[in-house]
Amino acid sequence: QKEVEQNSGPLSVPEGAIASLNCTYSDRGSQSFFWYRQYSGKSPELIMFIYSNGDKEDGRFTAQLNKASQYVSLLIRDSQPSDSATYLCAVSSGSARQLTFGSGTQLTVLP
Amino acid sequence: KAGVTQTPRYLIKTRGQQVTLSCSPISGHRSVSWYQQTPGQGLQFLFEYFSETQRNKGNFPGRFSGRQFSNSRSEMNVSTLELGDSALYLCASSLARTGNTGELFFGEGSRLTVL
């Protein structure tokens, strides 16, 4: 059974700090990797996707992928209170619409 | 541009009943996926429809079914409801073109409570 593991947290960081969110996956055939953000009572929204080993940066967000270690991470630089949410790691082995989600990490950025 | 619309937003049913949930994707999106979200199991993939055909199916019993219409609107049906079916059911639409990231745009969900 394909699994995606995340530390459930909660993770608290002070405003302006770097938040580091981690995710491991079990299926070596996984091809696409996504980070979604879900505010309380809202639906998930895509923040980043990454397909190749290495880093991918988009503004304050950096996704890192290491397929050999089956590890994906998300770094949030200059964290803001508005970043407080649950971050979901998702993995796809085929169709990018059939995702296996982790349980999510709850992040709180303290003002 | 209108987002993904799901109806109803909230509903309460009793065990043994059936329920139909509706999803209207973003205009131009041809793929509709359904996910179940519960506190214990998180987000789990139910199925995906594209051009009125089910393309992928998750590990759910046959009581869970769906369909897609020619205008890309989709419905999912759960028959013989069980207490464990209480969840937030999320619909997501996607362009689903070759080379597309497959970004999923989620609706606000239909929250089902089974008593």
Side-chain angles (χ1 to χ4, degrees), chain B residues 45-100:
Chain B
F45 174 79
L46 281 156
F47 26 65
E48 179 203 359
Y49 286 88
F50 180 83
S51 294
E52 302 178 64
T53 302
Q54 187 180 92
R55 295 301 178 97
N56 296 289
K57 189 178 191 306
N59 189 26
F60 278 82
R63 300 185 296 107
F64 292 81
S65 63
R67 59 178 175 169
Q68 186 180 33
F69 302 95
S70 58
N71 62 357
S72 294
R73 190 178 71 86
S74 178
E75 289 182 347
M76 69 163 282
N77 183 277
V78 188
S79 63
T80 319
L81 285 166
E82 301 176 0
L83 295 179
D85 297 333
S86 294
L88 180 66
Y89 290 88
L90 289 163
C91 168
S93 78
S94 172
L95 279 171
R97 288 183 189 157
T98 300
N100 179 258

Side-chain angles (χ1 to χ4, degrees), chain A residues 3-7 22-26 35 72 89 101-104:
Chain A
E3 293 184 347
V4 177
E5 300 286 341
Q6 293 181 253
N7 289 330
N22 304 316
C23 171
T24 59
Y25 59 95
S26 63
W35 283 98
V72 192
C89 173
F101 281 86
S103 57

Side-chain angles (χ1 to χ4, degrees), chain B residues 4-7 21-25 32 34 72-75 91-92:
Chain B
V4 178
T5 303
Q6 291 189 245
T7 57
L21 309 177
S22 179
C23 172
S24 293
V32 173
W34 289 89
S72 294
R73 190 178 71 86
S74 178
E75 289 182 347
C91 168

Side-chain angles (χ1 to χ4, degrees), chain A residues 9-25:
Chain A
L11 172 66
S12 294
V13 300
E15 184 174 356
I18 296 175
S20 177
L21 307 165
N22 304 316
C23 171
T24 59
Y25 59 95

Side-chain angles (χ1 to χ4, degrees), chain A residues 6-7 23 26 50 52 54-55 60-61 72-73 91 98 101 111:
Chain A
Q6 293 181 253
N7 289 330
C23 171
S26 63
I50 186 167
S52 305
D55 295 359
R60 296 186 296 112
F61 299 95
V72 192
S73 67
V91 173
Q98 182 173 358
F101 281 86

